[in-house]
């Protein structure tokens, strides 16, 4: 199967599992598990959610992988950049990214995709890290953005 085909199948699985499920946490957990199981190159796969008590800060949510940092301010790291700009960050070499936060020194490349709720507010970011350099490309960007776009449709506010 091509990478695009694996993404298509994984997106269908996620949609089927979360159908009718109002909990955002359950949806984030389902996506991180199924994405992580689909791709061996995904070393860390998970969500940082906007802290409702501190709107300029992300706090770790459901993930698969080694221990992640608990909190990331919008001003820092690749996740912060995605939250701040509202744009996907595709980083081929994290060591060249200003302010990169090394939660695990084995990470060499990553992609971070913003997740919006149904009202259009930023709810979280999806962070996928790899031990390989340049592990992610436009196929990953398109597919992960599509998954994130529908992830919170039908979820509780
Ligand atoms: N690499 C991220 C931090 C989160 S973890 O790697 C799990 C960043 O710079 O935003």
């Amino acid at each position: 199967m091509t990478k695009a085909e694996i993404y298509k199948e994984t997106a269908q699985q996620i949609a089927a599992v979360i159908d009718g499920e109002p909990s955002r946490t359950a949806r984030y957990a389902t996506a991180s598990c199924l994405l992580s199981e689909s791709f061996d190159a995904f070393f860390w796969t998970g969500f940082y959610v906007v802290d409702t008590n501190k709107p300029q800060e992300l706090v770790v949510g459901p993930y698969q992988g080694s221990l992640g940092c608990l909190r990331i301010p919008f001003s820092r790291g690749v996740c912060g950049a995605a939250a701040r700009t509202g744009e996907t960050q595709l980083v081929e070499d994290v060591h060249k990214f200003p302010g990169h936060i090394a939660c695990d020194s084995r990470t060499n490349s990553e992609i971070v995709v913003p997740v919006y709720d149904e009202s259009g507010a930023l709810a979280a970011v999806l962070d996928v890290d790899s031990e390989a350099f340049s592990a992610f490309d436009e196929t990953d960007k398109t597919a992960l953005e599509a998954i994130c776009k529908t992830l919170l449709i039908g979820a509780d506010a």
Side-chain angles (χ1 to χ4, degrees), residues 85-152:
T85 63
E87 308 248 317
T88 296
Q89 306 290 308
L90 211 171
V91 182
E92 295 191 352
D93 180 351
V94 296
H95 309 289
K96 293 182 180 158
F97 190 93
H100 168 249
I101 301 164
C103 293
D104 191 311
S105 59
R106 288 170 288 182
T107 292
N108 282 316
S109 65
E110 66 180 273
I111 184 167
V112 182
V113 180
V115 181
Y116 296 94
D117 65 19
E118 278 186 282
S119 77
L122 181 75
V125 299
L126 167 61
D127 177 6
V128 186
D129 300 349
S130 177
E131 288 180 279
F133 288 95
S134 305
F136 307 102
D137 58 20
E138 286 299 316
T139 303
D140 298 281
K141 182 173 184 283
T142 306
L144 292 173
E145 284 178 346
I147 288 168
C148 289
K149 202 171 173 185
T150 53
L151 194 58
L152 295 182

Side-chain angles (χ1 to χ4, degrees), residues 23-77:
S23 160
R24 290 188 184 196
T25 303
R27 288 166 176 250
Y28 295 144
T30 300
S32 61
C33 175
L34 292 175
L35 283 167
S36 164
E37 295 217 318
S38 289
F39 294 101
D40 289 340
F42 287 15
F43 169 71
W44 198 96
T45 311
F47 293 84
Y48 280 91
V49 302
V50 177
D51 187 340
T52 44
N53 298 315
K54 293 183 182 172
Q56 292 295 305
E57 197 164 292
L58 299 162
V59 60
V60 77
Y63 67 92
Q64 301 276 311
S66 59
L67 183 67
C69 312
L70 297 191
R71 289 181 175 271
I72 301 177
F74 276 26
S75 56
R76 291 205 54 212

